[in-house]
Amino acid sequence: ENVSEWYMVFSIGHKLIIGFSCVAVLTAVFIQETFKVATKDNRIMLISRDRVRRSNAEKLQALFHWADPENTGVLSYSAFKSLVEDPEVRLWF
């Protein structure tokens, strides 16, 4: 009967901390399971590979546009060789 009001502050704080911790753990488990299922799904894997292919194609297209400033559509062997030996291009790939 003779309990201080400060015990209530401690009790509420304790309940909040434990409650939020449990919610965080449950959320982490849910997200982990979701990612595990997503990595096994073939359709998602194919979509991801397609995105990577498109990204690489765009990068190569930008590279050849950069290597051919006259827009002739032709890149000589010597121009290609100098392009491949360029340190900036090496960093790009």
Side-chain angles (χ1 to χ4, degrees):
E1 291 181 26
N2 200 5
V3 178
S4 173
E5 295 86 21
W6 291 105
Y7 181 72
M8 182 62 89
V9 172
F10 169 75
S11 177
I12 290 174
H14 180 265
K15 294 270 185 195
L16 288 173
I17 290 170
I18 297 299
F20 283 126
S21 298
C22 289
V23 169
V25 168
L26 289 174
T27 302
V29 169
F30 176 74
I31 289 174
Q32 181 183 17
E33 289 299 317
T34 303
F35 281 133
K36 191 187 304 182
V37 170
T39 58
K40 292 180 182 179
D41 190 3
N42 289 334
R43 187 168 29 97
I44 293 174
M45 184 181 63
L46 291 174
I47 290 171
S48 176
R49 282 187 183 174
D50 189 46
R51 263 191 221 134
V52 169
R53 278 191 203 128
R54 273 192 255 134
S55 174
N56 287 341
E58 289 172 1
K59 285 181 182 180
L60 283 172
Q61 202 169 31
L63 174 68
F64 281 105
H65 281 297
W66 179 72
D68 185 24
E70 294 89 26
N71 289 330
T72 60
V74 177
L75 194 61
S76 67
Y77 178 74
S78 61
F80 179 76
K81 187 175 177 183
S82 66
L83 176 71
V84 172
E85 292 172 353
D86 186 356
E88 185 177 341
V89 173
R90 286 182 176 260
L91 286 175
W92 201 25
F93 288 99

